[in-house]
Amino acid sequence: MSSHEISATAGPDPAVVLHSTDWAALTHAYGPAATTADDLLGLLEEDPEVQAASLGRLEMSVLHQGSLYSATAPAALFIAGVLPHPRTLAVHESFFPWDDRRRPLRAALLEWLGEFAESAAWDDEALADPQDAEEAEALEAVRACRAVRPGIFEAVVPFLDDQDETVREAALGAVTHLLAADDLADRIPAAADRLECIARGRGPRRERAGALLTLACWGRDTAMLLTDEDPAIRTCAALGTADPSAVDVLLAALADPVAVDGWFDEPLPQVDGWFRFIVLRGLLERAESFEQVLPAALALIPLCSQYSVDRDWGPLLAFAFPEPHAAGAALAWAHNAFLLALVEQESCWGLIANRDAWLRSAGLPADRGELRLLVQTAGE
């Protein structure tokens, strides 16, 4: 493939990156990065399966489980540079069997750049004073990746207006992570104005919700959409404002947590896990009392389990008992109602020990039988 065929119309020039980089002198997860140039060129092959396999190898090598290597920064520059190439419009499935999405390669590349930017934004305090050559190399890789973020941002931001919804969403995720860079902080106001227009618009739910969650991350107040006709949009708006009415919006959403989890077919880029988790966290950050939260807590209990304790009923326990319950003291009615529902929820009890720390911090017995006795005694 000639340099002309891979030249970009904007952003980093991929041909220059490709030919000016001594790939054999760089490393990735599996050692020398001599074949990385071939994988990068494979992104622009005519066969979509070759494209998918090339991206898969790049994910496993130069961005292995979010780690950064000396080959990562130039690979990211190349990927950013080829985003406008027509062959990135090819639609195909992921190289990985657990990812069954079909989408344009351009969306997958933007998602990769978002993961790159997220990794580059990690705190490198542990590497600030490298103790050996390996740590020094790791620190240098982080610094190199951070140094290329401005150029990558300029390449990514035009795709916020792409015709394809999956491309726009991936671009939004990448922009969100890129703007965590201190040297890009001056770009946030313009980006926020742009996202506010998206949030206020009549576009797809996912796009509007993603814009609102990103605005919240940037500290922009989103109260303007607390009365939107779409409950998902109202809820996302509530997560980005200190307006007192946000609590009522979040309570209304959690009255039906199953519906909340069904709002989005795939998790939004800003969300890890079930959407109800982030809604509950937002409610607990704003509520004034456990009595106020109780209806949501009782609605959530049927979905709780021993595996979800760190995201739902554990935080509810911590909110209910900011100070440990004193042995022998009477339980408040709201506490008793919550604990009674909890102790009868079979899925919350088993061999997983995570719950023990939450219960003990609340001053409650970690043993289910003892907890049942406590709530039964309180109800007499």
Side-chain angles (χ1 to χ4, degrees):
M1 187 173 294
S2 69
S3 297
H4 176 72
E5 288 179 294
I6 61 173
S7 292
T9 57
D13 188 326
V16 172
V17 173
L18 188 74
H19 299 302
S20 65
T21 301
D22 184 0
W23 297 100
L26 304 179
T27 60
H28 54 44
Y30 304 106
T35 61
T36 296
D38 293 333
D39 290 331
L40 292 170
L41 285 172
L43 297 174
L44 300 181
E45 289 290 340
E46 292 185 0
D47 186 342
E49 291 189 6
V50 174
Q51 292 179 318
S54 297
L55 180 57
R57 286 193 295 271
L58 290 166
E59 290 182 5
M60 292 186 293
S61 59
V62 299
L63 197 59
H64 181 71
Q65 296 181 349
S67 297
L68 304 176
Y69 307 90
S70 58
T72 309
L77 283 172
F78 180 93
I79 289 173
V82 300
L83 286 172
H85 197 287
R87 287 187 183 166
T88 66
L89 297 175
V91 176
H92 53 72
E93 294 181 355
S94 169
F95 174 73
F96 301 106
W98 56 82
D99 185 355
D100 59 0
R101 292 175 294 174
R102 284 186 57 82
R103 54 185 176 157
L105 175 64
R106 182 174 292 167
L109 294 178
L110 283 162
E111 184 176 281
W112 189 96
L113 289 170
E115 293 169 357
F116 158 84
E118 183 178 18
S119 295
W122 287 348
D123 183 12
D124 61 348
E125 182 179 349
L127 298 174
D129 184 21
Q131 301 300 307
D132 54 38
E134 184 176 348
E135 287 190 2
E137 183 179 356
L139 177 57
E140 186 59 32
V142 171
R143 288 174 174 167
C145 289
R146 291 183 173 185
V148 301
R149 288 182 297 190
I152 290 174
F153 175 82
E154 296 302 330
V156 166
V157 74
F159 295 97
L160 290 172
D161 298 320
D162 196 86
Q163 293 182 346
D164 189 286
E165 181 183 348
T166 62
V167 172
R168 293 196 304 270
E169 179 179 322
L172 174 59
V175 164
T176 301
H177 291 303
L178 285 163
L179 289 182
D182 291 339
D183 55 351
L184 288 174
D186 62 326
R187 321 286 177 93
I188 290 179
D193 289 343
R194 193 170 188 170
L195 295 192
E196 187 169 317
C197 290
I198 293 173
R200 289 178 179 272
R202 308 302 298 176
R205 169 186 277 181
R206 284 187 64 86
E207 190 167 6
R208 297 180 67 205
L212 282 168
L213 294 180
T214 298
L215 288 168
C217 290
W218 292 341
R220 280 288 187 106
D221 190 276
T222 54
M224 71 283 189
L225 288 170
L226 283 173
T227 57
D228 192 87
E229 61 184 21
D230 186 332
I233 299 303
R234 292 197 300 270
T235 301
C236 289
L239 294 171
T241 182
D243 189 298
S245 62
V247 173
D248 292 332
V249 173
L250 297 172
L251 283 170
L254 288 176
D256 188 355
V258 173
V260 169
D261 284 341
W263 282 342
F264 306 103
D265 293 337
E266 296 285 342
L268 295 170
Q270 303 91 335
V271 177
D272 177 25
W274 292 108
F275 198 68
R276 69 178 186 270
F277 294 155
I278 191 175
V279 178
L280 174 61
R281 186 177 68 198
L283 174 61
L284 297 183
E285 288 171 351
R286 293 162 175 78
E288 297 180 354
S289 68
F290 188 69
E291 288 78 10
Q292 188 180 28
V293 169
L294 181 61
L298 295 178
L300 282 163
I301 285 293
L303 302 182
C304 293
S305 76
Q306 58 181 328
Y307 301 102
S308 68
V309 61
D310 294 331
R311 307 293 298 276
D312 47 31
W313 60 279
L316 280 165
L317 281 170
F319 186 81
F321 297 94
E323 298 295 332
H325 175 67
L331 284 170
W333 69 270
H335 294 164
N336 193 67
F338 173 60
L339 294 175
L340 181 61
L342 183 63
V343 80
E344 296 302 332
Q345 182 65 29
E346 191 69 33
S347 60
C348 290
W349 306 91
L351 299 177
I352 304 300
N354 295 46
R355 66 175 180 276
D356 293 0
W358 290 101
L359 288 161
R360 288 178 179 135
S361 293
L364 300 168
D367 179 78
R368 185 184 185 187
E370 293 180 21
L371 184 61
R372 178 181 281 115
L373 181 62
L374 175 63
V375 296
Q376 288 176 343
T377 301
E380 295 176 352

